[in-house]
């Protein structure tokens, strides 16, 4: 096996990973360099597909204030957001976004050259910055990817999967990676391993997330003994384009509702007034359950979004990608109803961290969607995740500035047992991971989806235990898809166990057998072999 040493290793090339790499390079003088590894092509990530935008509580937006943003975030978070985290992220959004602009990121402006703030659900004022109309993620990711590629101090490994963290005595000293093109393994020693591995949407049959969102960071850090928080909280987006057969669903941004689009049933009748006073701009979990309920009542697999009430030119200018993708599928959004249905979208749960990304394992950090900082609570406010990615990337870099980063020079005997597991040649027959994955996604959608109960969750767990028997891998796998599926199985079980533990409904976690919300919010905490509810 190959060995190498880096002062810092960042796993994941979404906006959190890319920006962290750039900030660390800028602020820290690292003798052993920075490595960014990513399991697909650089930049392929959930970040790339972000549409609506990034919350920016900017000083020049006189209608907005951190007080208002904090209040909106906490209200949406359904009693589980951590006040200090929310406050910190909100108060730092102005300076971090201004820093992002220095890296070449641009946001859309109006004719007076002022930022064009938009509105999304459950925000009390227009405060969402966007770029390229509805291509915010793509525009930011493209700029940061170019910056990373041009930076001679950041090494990049593409098509490389992190398969196990090198942890001993609750201290992370590196990571084992697998090159999916050559089939080779490498042990990388590092004093700071930063997980920026994103979300878990691929665990569910219908998702807005691309193929890379398989929950790897959760599985890796759980296996390494890190503490997980609120793993049952998955945000289902209410409006993903629902075309026959399409399971990876294209998002129809909440910003379309922000600009005035209405949800209607098959008869063209609006229904959101029955569910919430804010109608289409109610918190996301409420709109999702409303759509789901309408679909169940009318025995259909979608409802519709009517955007024809928005000025045609505005629609084309503000949502060029959505207009184009819909048109390619025979839907002219300036006059046709858009078929939409809920899909798994964002993971509020994750590796428990503080604002600097520190996990409960020394030397292991987590930032972006993989982390649970306490910002989102039980239900994320739209466009807060990109903000969290950049603020926490900035903070982890700031934190590491003051650390001695000297990766171990020799192979630690205690780490050798981990490394040896990947050094052995094993004969393994290829498995049909694609069909196993479909089976798992279907089980999770039915059993641990938008509405759950003891019965659906327990059945799902039993089905997953049966499915696991068809996957005879515990450590070494044959290819990237197998490593991903191994992680998906493990994370699915963790989610179900957390969801069984929470015997109430709160935010995005809805138990049909426990519809009430407890007065006091508690977090589910899971660590290898231990599970608890804490205030
Ligand atoms: P990601 O961007 O998902 O990046 C994760 C990276 O880790 C990827 O490069 C992946 O390949 C890599 N990786 C994963 N596992 C491994 C492994 N084992 N080894 C190596 N590499 C690995 N949020 C907003 O705030 N505003 C929006 O408008 C918005 N719109 C969205 C629209 C869509 C369609 C989607 C899917 C999400 C949207 N979100 C939005 C959510 C937001 O995009 C994500 O939460 C955010 O981009 C996550 O960034 P990240 O850097 O943490 O992870
Ligand atoms: C959207 O554009 O609707 C997604 C925004 C988000 O997930 O924050």
């Amino acid at each position: 096996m190959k060995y190498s040493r880096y002062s810092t290793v960042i796993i994941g090339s979404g906006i959190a990973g890319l920006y962290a790499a750039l900030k660390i390079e800028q602020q820290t003088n690292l003798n052993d360099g920075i490595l960014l590894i990513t399991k697909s092509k650089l930049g392929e990530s959930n970040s790339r597909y972000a549409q609506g935008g990034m919350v920016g509580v900017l000083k020049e937006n006189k209608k907005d204030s951190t007080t208002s943003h904090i209040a909106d975030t906490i209200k949406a978070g359904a009693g589980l957001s951590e006040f200090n985290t929310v406050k910190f992220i909100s108060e730092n959004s102005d300076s971090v976004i201004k820093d992002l602009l220095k890296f070449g990121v641009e946001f859309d402006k109006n004719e007076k050259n002022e930022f064009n703030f938009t509105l999304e659900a459950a925000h009390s004022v227009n405060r969402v910055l966007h770029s390229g109309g509805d291509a915010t993620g793509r525009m930011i990711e493209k700029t940061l990817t170019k910056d990373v590629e041009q930076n001679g101090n950041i090494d990049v490994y593409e098509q490389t999967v992190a398969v196990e963290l090198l942890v001993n005595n609750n201290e992370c000293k590196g990571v084992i990676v697998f090159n999916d093109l050559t089939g080779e393994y490498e042990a990388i020693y590092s004093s700071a391993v930063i997980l920026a591995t994103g979300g878990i949407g691929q665990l569910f049959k219908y998702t807005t997330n691309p193929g890379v969102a398989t929950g790897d960071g959760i599985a890796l850090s759980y296996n390494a003994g890190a503490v997980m928080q609120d793993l049952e909280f998955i945000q289902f987006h209410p409006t993903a384009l629902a075309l026959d057969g399409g399971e990876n669903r294209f998002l129809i941004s909440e910003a379309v509702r922000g600009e005035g689009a209405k949800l209607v049933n098959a008869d063209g009748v609006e229904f959101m007034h029955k569910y919430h006073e804010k109608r289409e701009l109610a918190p996301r979990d409420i709109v999702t359950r409303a759509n789901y309920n309408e679909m169940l009542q009318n025995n259909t697999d979608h409802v519709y979004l009517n955007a024809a009430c928005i000025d045609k030119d505005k629609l084309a200018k503000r949502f060029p990608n959505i207009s184009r993708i819909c048109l390619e599928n025979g839907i002219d959004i300036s006059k046709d109803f858009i078929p939409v249905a809920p899909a798994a979208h964002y993971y509020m749960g994750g590796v428990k961290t503080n604002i600097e990304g520190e996990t409960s394992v020394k030397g292991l950090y987590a930032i972006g969607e993989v982390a649970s900082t306490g910002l989102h609570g039980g239900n994320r406010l739209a466009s807060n995740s990109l903000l969290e990615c950049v603020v926490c990337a900035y903070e982890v870099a700031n934190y590491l500035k003051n650390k001695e980063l000297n990766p171990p020079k020799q192979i630690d005997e205690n780490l050798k047992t981990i490394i040896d597991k990947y050094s052995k040649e094993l004969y393994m027959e290829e498995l049909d991971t694609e069909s196993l994955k479909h089976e798992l996604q279907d089980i999770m959608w039915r059993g641990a989806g938008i509405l759950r109960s003891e019965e659906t969750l327990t059945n799902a767990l039993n089905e997953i235990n049966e499915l696991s028997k068809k996957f005879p891998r515990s450590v070494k796998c044959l290819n990237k898809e197998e490593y991903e599926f191994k992680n998906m199985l493990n994370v699915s079980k963790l989610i179900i166990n957390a969801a069984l533990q929470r015997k109430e409904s709160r935010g995005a976690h809805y138990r049909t057998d426990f519809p009430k919300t407890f007065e006091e919010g508690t977090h589910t905490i899971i660590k290898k072999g231990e599970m608890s509810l804490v205030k």
Side-chain angles (χ1 to χ4, degrees), residues 33 68 70 90 112 135-136 155 164 188 238 284 289 387 393 421 425 444 448 481 491 514 523:
S68 158
I70 293 167
S90 188
K112 290 191 212 148
T136 308
D155 289 349
E164 186 159 345
I188 301 164
R284 203 171 269 182
R289 283 195 295 275
L387 177 63
K421 293 187 287 186
E425 286 293 327
M444 287 298 283
E481 288 70 25
V491 177
F514 294 103
H523 295 286

Side-chain angles (χ1 to χ4, degrees), residues 51-52 120 237 251-255 284 345 380 382-385:
Q51 293 183 358
E120 286 188 288
H237 198 291
L251 182 72
I252 306 294
S253 175
E254 197 156 271
R284 203 171 269 182
H345 180 65
R380 177 177 64 99
S383 291
N384 258 352
S385 46

